[in-house]
Amino acid sequence: MDTTALGIMAGIGGVFVFVIIQLFRQRTWNIINTVLVFLAYFSIPAGVDLLMAAFWGDEKKLPELWRQYIVVASIVVIGVSIQFVIQTLKSAWTKLPASEEDIQTGN
């Protein structure tokens, strides 16, 4: 399986988990966060792939400092993606305060 397919599968799986948690915990759905969660999960396998290329790539076919750039970019991509996923899952996990209508109806 290539990195793109793995990223798409990770993105779909991550979005599924995020949307389910958000719907059950907050009873809302945010399209912007959903898209960003997909993109964050999608970029993690590519970041790992870049990091592996930095360590085991063929430097004879690339510029001298390509490895350093790829390592830094990979760490940033992975770090930012994981941070975003954790933050959005935390925000989805937080229950919103019950509305007065919910309190009156017992929901």
Side-chain angles (χ1 to χ4, degrees):
M1 178 179 303
D2 68 341
T3 305
T4 302
L6 187 60
I8 291 170
M9 288 176 49
I12 291 170
V15 163
F16 179 75
V17 169
F18 173 72
V19 168
I20 294 299
I21 289 172
Q22 192 173 37
L23 288 174
F24 279 109
R25 299 288 295 180
Q26 295 182 343
R27 297 181 186 180
T28 62
W29 181 58
N30 184 326
I31 185 68
I32 303 294
N33 283 347
T34 304
V35 170
L36 291 175
V37 165
F38 174 82
L39 292 174
Y41 274 105
F42 177 76
S43 67
I44 291 171
V48 170
D49 200 28
L50 283 173
L51 195 56
M52 290 173 53
F55 288 112
W56 295 289
D58 183 6
E59 72 264 0
K60 294 175 186 166
K61 295 182 182 178
L62 297 168
E64 287 182 28
L65 298 176
W66 71 271
R67 285 183 164 182
Q68 290 84 350
Y69 299 135
I70 290 178
V71 168
V72 171
S74 300
I75 291 169
V76 169
V77 166
I78 293 168
V80 168
S81 297
I82 291 172
Q83 171 70 19
F84 178 76
V85 167
I86 290 169
Q87 292 296 64
T88 53
L89 287 174
K90 278 183 183 178
S91 69
W93 190 258
T94 305
K95 274 190 143 179
L96 295 175
S99 67
E100 288 196 29
E101 182 180 307
D102 287 343
I103 294 171
Q104 290 173 357
T105 60
N107 290 334

